[in-house]
Amino acid sequence: MHMRRTLNKFCPTESLTSRSIHLARKDALRKFYECGFSYSRKLTAHKSCVNYLAFSRHDGRWLASAGDDCRVLLWDFSQEDVFCPGHAFAGPMVSFFGPSFGHRCLWLDREICFSGGADDVILKYDVSTLREVGSSSIGERGWSSSVERYGDHDDSVRALTCHPYEDEIFISASEDGKLILHDSRAGGRMSAAQGTLQHTAAFTGVQHHPVMEHVFATCDVHGHVCLRDTRMTFGPLSRRSNGGIVRVYNTKLSRKSAGYLSNPESSSLTFDRDGSKLAVTFLHYFPTIYAMSDPHPLAICTGRNTPDGTPISPPQRSYTNSCTMKSGAFGGPGMDEDDMYGAGSDDFRAYVWRIPPLMTLQGLRQEITPHDWYAREWPDTVVLAFAEGKWESRYVPYEISMPLARLDGHKSIVNSVAIHPSLLHIATSGVERQIILHSPTPSSPAVQNLLPTPPTVRVLQPQDLAAQRIFLRVLLGPHPTLHEDDEGDDEGENETISLFDHILRAEGEADVFTIRRWGEDSAEDAENEDETIIDVFDTSLSDSSL
């Protein structure tokens, strides 16, 4: 009887049919993607820059957006046509001056939403009560306050991430150099000291592995990207080891014409859905793709060519990241893997790249010995490489120079990209107060009658006297990016755009080897490197500070 049941489960015809359907579906979706995401709609409700976007994990019902207006808005994708947010949560209240404040990170699931910002407080919201489709619009009944507040940090909260299976457990990372493990289950709380890891550099990102419950990744302002284990990171000192680090990724850049290395700041990171790939956003460099099990990078994502393969030539602008905190996202709507990666750019676009299989990328990566690196002439495609030290091997990752799509429609810098887990939608946001929802088709189960996205991109003009006056007026105003005026009035937003234009002119052309020098050829650099090694590897430093 047992053998008969086992045999009945195996049906070659059914298996082949399912595989054929799967391949046909995959092929159809790829054809949609190859046409680009040329339709869009602006979602307008915020009164300021929209710093972060996140679709709810697993089901994608909600899109959460957060920005400098200190609100978290939820957009309900179970509706037939998304135009306005269905709910709003009151966010952090901050009063200090600066163009980057309010929310800086979000985490959204079916039941709960976490947000963190520049006021060092993490807020938890209950999403589980918002069951009815289109239950409310933004008004008196559409507002909710947080159900729990966490005030354990001493500086801005840059990132937070939930446990893959337990929503009540999450890790936060802050510019105060702390990683904090929060466990709000009954009887599950550690002491404050046991749940804290103190680092000497500001953390810029943290991401839990989506499958392995004890594994998470971090990045910091020194450019370090590390894979850690919670069992060695937190808890009693007797159980801790090496700051919980189980892998250090190679993030230093080498240029043959320079006698030193550069360590670009790693400003955010993210895993794909199964945790096999890790993408790191570097300031003044390109998004870089790693295999979780390989310390050396496999690919970089650039905008050297247009999606049709045409090379970009001056004065056209392409992908850059020099001025703001950006976060990218993996995705593969309708697919069984995340083979796309999206990121915002300083050229007023977002980019989406198709990521080849990891085995393919491993075969395309070049490894060069230190002797060959300095002794041989290399083509223009091998200008930069990654190296763990001046006299270590160079690794040249494969350059994905032709994006799958460039997402237009913005008038200024794009900071955040979110890819829906099942629908063919990508949401982008940044300096403007609008979110843009992109699609390869004019309609979908969640939106109807999208319009073609204008292909033109605003040109960054040289500084003139009028622009200088606007910049000074905005800079000296009560708040540079928050505008309480009517949503249809573009004057306030134009002033914000002018502010970031000024920043872009000043910082947009910076060379990472000039501003982020790491070397072994001077006493100062050697001293800095000693500090770096202590940050990552000296367990006693982390433990003694608890």
Side-chain angles (χ1 to χ4, degrees), residues 262-448:
S262 173
N263 60 329
E265 176 181 331
S266 46
S267 55
S268 66
L269 49 73
T270 185
F271 284 108
D272 67 345
R273 79 175 70 174
D274 64 6
S276 61
K277 295 188 286 287
L278 178 68
V280 180
T281 302
F282 288 107
L283 199 60
H284 303 292
Y285 193 60
F286 302 107
T288 303
I289 308 298
Y290 295 81
M292 189 201 76
S293 58
D294 188 339
H296 305 295
L298 296 177
I300 58 172
C301 302
T302 74
R304 189 188 299 271
N305 301 315
T306 63
D308 65 6
T310 304
I312 298 292
S313 57
Q316 291 178 295
R317 300 168 65 216
S318 184
Y319 178 89
T320 54
N321 175 27
S322 302
C323 298
T324 56
M325 292 182 289
K326 296 181 176 64
S327 58
F330 280 105
M335 312 285 276
D336 56 0
E337 61 178 344
D338 286 346
D339 65 351
M340 295 191 299
Y341 179 75
S345 169
D346 291 346
D347 70 340
F348 311 157
R349 293 185 178 98
Y351 287 73
V352 180
W353 296 271
R354 173 166 289 145
I355 310 301
L358 293 179
M359 291 296 291
T360 301
L361 293 177
Q362 287 171 348
L364 294 171
R365 181 180 63 191
Q366 291 179 261
E367 182 177 357
I368 303 171
T369 66
H371 176 269
D372 286 348
W373 176 253
Y374 289 110
R376 292 177 53 186
E377 293 295 326
W378 296 98
D380 292 341
T381 55
V382 189
V383 176
L384 295 180
F386 284 76
E388 294 176 309
K390 186 175 180 179
W391 303 110
E392 301 293 333
S393 294
R394 266 57 179 175
Y395 294 86
V396 183
Y398 175 69
E399 180 183 353
I400 306 174
S401 60
M402 188 174 71
L404 176 68
R406 297 190 301 183
L407 307 182
D408 298 320
H410 287 278
K411 295 187 293 182
S412 191
I413 299 170
V414 181
N415 291 333
S416 185
V417 174
I419 303 177
H420 196 281
S422 57
L423 301 177
L424 308 184
H425 290 303
I426 299 177
T428 58
S429 68
V431 167
E432 302 150 86
R433 58 190 174 192
Q434 294 90 10
I435 302 162
I436 298 185
L437 185 65
H438 306 266
S439 174
T441 61
S443 296
S444 80
V447 293
Q448 307 297 322

Side-chain angles (χ1 to χ4, degrees), residues 444-523:
S444 80
V447 293
Q448 307 297 322
N449 302 318
L450 299 182
L451 298 176
T453 306
T456 57
V457 177
R458 188 175 71 87
V459 176
L460 179 65
Q461 298 295 336
Q463 181 81 303
D464 57 20
L465 184 59
Q468 180 71 14
R469 287 173 177 168
I470 294 174
F471 167 71
L472 292 175
R473 183 170 69 246
V474 175
L475 193 66
L476 300 175
H479 192 282
T481 65
L482 182 60
H483 307 286
E484 296 292 347
D485 53 358
D486 183 73
E487 292 174 355
D489 184 3
D490 292 333
E491 181 180 355
E493 182 165 86
N494 289 337
E495 290 182 347
T496 300
I497 291 173
S498 179
L499 170 65
F500 281 92
D501 281 356
H502 182 89
I503 297 172
L504 196 54
R505 293 188 197 99
E507 303 178 7
E509 301 299 326
D511 180 7
V512 68
F513 279 83
T514 301
I515 62 176
R516 296 283 298 193
R517 175 171 175 154
W518 184 97
E520 300 159 340
D521 55 349
S522 70

Side-chain angles (χ1 to χ4, degrees), residues 67 75 77 249 343 488:
W75 308 77
F77 275 68
Y249 293 94

Side-chain angles (χ1 to χ4, degrees), residues 19-205:
R19 179 172 174 78
S20 299
I21 293 173
H22 173 74
L23 292 175
R25 184 169 181 267
K26 197 172 183 177
D27 184 59
L29 287 170
R30 288 193 186 281
K31 290 179 179 178
F32 272 121
Y33 298 148
E34 288 170 359
C35 294
F37 291 75
S38 56
Y39 297 89
S40 65
R41 169 183 294 168
K42 290 187 176 180
L43 303 178
T44 303
H46 282 285
K47 300 179 182 296
S48 69
C49 304
V50 183
N51 301 327
Y52 207 94
L53 301 171
F55 279 108
S56 52
R57 189 170 52 164
H58 305 307
D59 64 355
R61 173 182 174 178
W62 301 102
L63 171 67
S65 59
D68 287 359
D69 59 1
C70 301
R71 299 191 299 172
V72 176
L73 303 184
L74 293 184
W75 308 77
D76 190 353
F77 275 68
S78 64
Q79 299 181 70
E80 292 184 357
D81 201 9
V82 178
F83 265 105
C84 59
H87 206 82
F89 292 118
M93 299 304 296
V94 293
S95 59
F96 64 88
F97 177 81
S100 295
F101 87 122
H103 286 93
R104 292 189 175 181
C105 54
L106 282 171
W107 184 270
L108 180 63
D109 210 326
R110 294 188 185 98
E111 306 292 328
I112 56 176
C113 176
F114 290 99
S115 74
D119 64 347
D120 68 43
V121 172
I122 298 169
L123 301 177
K124 176 183 175 182
Y125 310 99
D126 186 1
V127 181
S128 63
T129 58
L130 310 179
R131 295 297 187 188
E132 183 182 346
V133 175
S135 58
S136 63
S137 59
I138 300 303
E140 290 300 321
R141 293 187 178 182
W143 279 88
S144 298
S145 298
S146 59
V147 296
E148 195 164 354
R149 296 168 62 91
Y150 302 83
D152 305 300
H153 286 291
D154 302 313
D155 207 334
S156 302
V157 179
R158 284 290 296 269
L160 47 87
T161 179
C162 276
H163 187 280
Y165 310 117
E166 297 285 348
D167 290 342
E168 298 301 318
I169 302 174
F170 69 97
I171 301 172
S172 57
S174 169
E175 292 181 1
D176 62 6
K178 292 179 183 176
L179 284 177
I180 298 181
L181 177 65
H182 308 265
D183 187 350
S184 58
R185 297 174 301 178
R189 299 187 180 185
M190 295 181 178
S191 67
Q194 291 178 343
T196 303
L197 174 72
Q198 180 67 62
H199 192 36
T200 58
F203 281 109
T204 55

